[in-house]
C-alpha cells in the first residue's frame, strides 16, 4: 500500500462528497423556493376567497336595502280567526276537550 495512492483516494472521496453535498444543498434551496411560492399562491387564493365572500355579503345587503326601500306600502295582514276559543285554558281543566287525564292508582301493582 503506497501512501501517495491512499492520499489521492481520500482526496478524491472528499471531493466527491463535497460535490454531492453541493448538489443536495442546491436541490434543498429549489424545494424551499417552490414551497414558498405554493404558500404564497394559497395565501392569495384565501384572500381572494374572503374578498369574494365580503363582496357577496355587501351585494346581498344592497339588494335587501333596495328591496325594503322600493316597497313603501306594506301588505295588510288578513284578519285571522284564532285556533281556539278565548276561554280555553289547558291548566284549568275547563274549556272543553274530550281527553281528560287521571293519575294511576297508588300502591303496588296487583299482578300475580
Amino acid at each position: 500500500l503506497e501512501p501517495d495512492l491512499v492520499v489521492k483516494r481520500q482526496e478524491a472521496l472528499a471531493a466527491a462528497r463535497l460535490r454531492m453535498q453541493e448538489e443536495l444543498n442546491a436541490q434543498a434551496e429549489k424545494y424551499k423556493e417552490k414551497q414558498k411560492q405554493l404558500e404564497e399562491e394559497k395565501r392569495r387564493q384565501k384572500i381572494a376567497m374572503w374578498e369574494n365572500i365580503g363582496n357577496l355579503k355587501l351585494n346581498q345587503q344592497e339588494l335587501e336595502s333596495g328591496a325594503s326601500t322600493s316597497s313603501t306600502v306594506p301588505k295588510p295582514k288578513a284578519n285571522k280567526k284564532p285556533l281556539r276559543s278565548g276561554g280555553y285554558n289547558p291548566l284549568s281543566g275547563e274549556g272543553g276537550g274530550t281527553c281528560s287525564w287521571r293519575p294511576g292508582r297508588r300502591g303496588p301493582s296487583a299482578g300475580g
Side-chain angles (χ1 to χ4, degrees):
L1 295 174
E2 295 184 19
D4 292 338
L5 189 61
V6 172
V7 170
K8 285 184 182 179
R9 196 172 282 167
Q10 286 179 348
E11 287 176 356
L13 194 60
R17 284 183 183 151
L18 185 64
R19 200 171 45 244
M20 290 174 71
Q21 187 64 45
E22 288 174 354
E23 288 176 12
L24 186 64
N25 289 344
Q27 288 176 355
E29 194 66 35
K30 286 180 185 177
Y31 180 77
K32 284 182 184 178
E33 189 65 31
K34 190 175 180 181
Q35 290 299 317
K36 255 188 193 176
Q37 289 176 354
L38 288 175
E39 285 180 17
E40 183 68 22
E41 185 63 29
K42 283 183 183 179
R43 189 179 71 83
R44 285 185 189 144
Q45 287 176 355
K46 275 189 178 181
I47 290 172
M49 181 185 69
W50 282 107
E51 285 177 351
N52 288 339
I53 290 173
N55 289 340
L56 289 175
K57 285 184 181 178
L58 286 176
N59 290 339
Q60 287 177 352
Q61 288 175 354
E62 288 175 0
L63 290 175
E64 289 172 0
S65 65
S68 64
T69 56
S70 64
S71 60
T72 55
V73 180
K75 295 181 180 179
K77 293 184 178 179
N79 292 336
K80 293 187 176 180
K81 192 171 107 178
L83 295 175
R84 299 196 186 271
S85 62
Y88 174 74
N89 185 358
L91 299 177
S92 68
E94 300 174 2
T98 58
C99 295
S100 61
W101 178 82
R102 291 180 154 194
R105 288 179 40 180
R106 291 177 60 111
S109 62

